[in-house]
Amino acid sequence: MTSETTGTGSTFGRVGIWSSALHASRVDDAGGKAIAEALAELDDLGYGTVWIGGSPTPGDAAAVVAATRSITVATGILSIWNHTAEEVAAAVSAIDPHARRRFVLGLGVSHGPMVPQYAKPYSAMVEYLDALDAAEPSVGSGHRVLAALGPKMLKLAADRSLGAHPYLVTTEHTAEARAALGPGALLAPELTAVLNTDLDRARTTARTMLGMYLQLPNYTANLLRLGFTEGDFDGGGSVRLLDALFALGDAEQVTRRTREYFDAGADHVALQVLTADEGGAGLPRAEWRELAEAFGSEL
């Protein structure tokens, strides 16, 4: 794999699906079959990209690529602390060359409380990208994106990759990220949706997910920079915070919220769908179908 751009940056589509339930390495044979069937349907529904969330392994990524035909596949994100650059480059090179053109390596530095060896994350990312460039074969800038929140990492994303894949961000952050990246880099924020017209219940579902992330300083520091306060983090998130971070309501409301991110400068939005009964960890295929119908040609 060379450092040349394969064109994947132009084939993310406008809307993708982000899911942490696509790890074949974490399920039995029946679970693997369910993942493969869900991926085949996402391919058919017309989404531009499927994002493998929850710190996937290179093997998880290869399995998703193998289970799909035309959709772009991206890791969202693979932690640089879990796998060496050489291991990742070797795994990427083992993917079928034709299918490999659809794969984008999303990389991130994760979070201090989750990584015992966490130190100097910016420098660690620079060193990791250098190692990917030097690998044989390499995984160059045209085949990767970075999870980036702050100005330094956003600039690095623009300089050393296709662009940025920020997670748990507002439209205000999207506008700031677009300004930091410049006009040419990809900006593909994640947006979490709860398809429930009972807003109290929708917010309860959102808080179940958000509470974990509010324990991670990279996210809380970013939210504080955006004007939220420590009080907004109490009880799993204030109404103000929830309404800024999530798309809550019916499919039409989700499409409206997604367009707000496009208006703020996003090129692509990666939708994560939470359901109360699955706790956000399942394969919400009915909701994926409903959203695909609502977006229609916008996908």
Side-chain angles (χ1 to χ4, degrees), residues 23 41 58 93 108 119 157 169 184 195 199 215 221 234 249 251 260 268-269 293:
H23 298 233
E41 183 172 21
S93 69
V169 293
L195 286 168
L199 289 183
Q215 306 303 310
D234 294 341
E260 291 174 5
H268 170 94
V269 174
E293 183 177 356

Side-chain angles (χ1 to χ4, degrees), residues 202-224:
R203 289 177 182 131
T204 296
T205 299
R207 284 189 177 99
T208 300
M209 173 266 208
L210 183 59
M212 177 187 72
Y213 292 105
L214 293 179
Q215 306 303 310
L216 301 175
N218 289 357
Y219 291 129
T220 55
N222 187 56
L223 293 169
L224 291 171

Side-chain angles (χ1 to χ4, degrees), residues 24-199:
S25 63
R26 301 180 187 176
V27 297
D28 58 17
D29 289 345
K33 181 179 179 182
I35 290 173
E37 290 174 351
L39 288 167
E41 183 172 21
L42 286 176
D43 226 337
D44 291 339
L45 286 171
Y47 288 103
T49 303
V50 56
W51 296 83
I52 314 166
S55 298
T57 67
D60 292 328
V64 172
V65 174
T68 53
R69 299 183 314 279
S70 59
I71 195 169
T72 296
V73 176
T75 51
I77 52 78
L78 185 144
S79 171
I80 66 171
W81 310 103
N82 292 346
H83 310 278
T84 69
E86 293 75 16
E87 291 170 346
V88 171
V92 173
S93 69
I95 298 173
D96 175 79
H98 179 72
R100 192 190 307 155
R101 298 179 61 186
R102 297 187 286 109
F103 177 66
V104 175
L105 178 64
L107 296 168
V109 296
S110 189
H111 305 272
M114 301 173 67
V115 180
Q117 68 271 39
Y118 192 89
K120 298 182 177 178
Y122 179 84
S123 297
M125 178 61 82
V126 171
E127 292 174 4
Y128 201 93
L129 296 177
D130 290 343
L132 286 176
D133 288 342
E136 186 57 47
S138 67
V139 183
S141 61
H143 302 273
R144 61 200 188 205
V145 297
L146 304 187
L149 294 175
K152 286 181 64 177
M153 198 67 79
L154 284 165
K155 185 177 187 306
L156 186 66
D159 291 344
R160 302 288 304 273
S161 78
L162 289 170
H165 173 51
Y167 186 90
L168 201 69
V169 293
T170 64
T171 55
E172 289 77 14
H173 181 275
T174 299
E176 293 179 5
R178 172 49 67 202
L181 289 167
L186 175 79
L187 179 54
E190 175 271 349
L191 172 62
T192 303
V194 181
L195 286 168
N196 191 330
T197 55
D198 184 328
L199 289 183

Side-chain angles (χ1 to χ4, degrees), residues 237-253:
S238 66
V239 169
R240 178 172 81 120
L241 181 61
L242 293 169
D243 291 350
L245 290 176
F246 291 83
L248 307 173
D250 61 14
E252 183 178 348
Q253 175 62 15

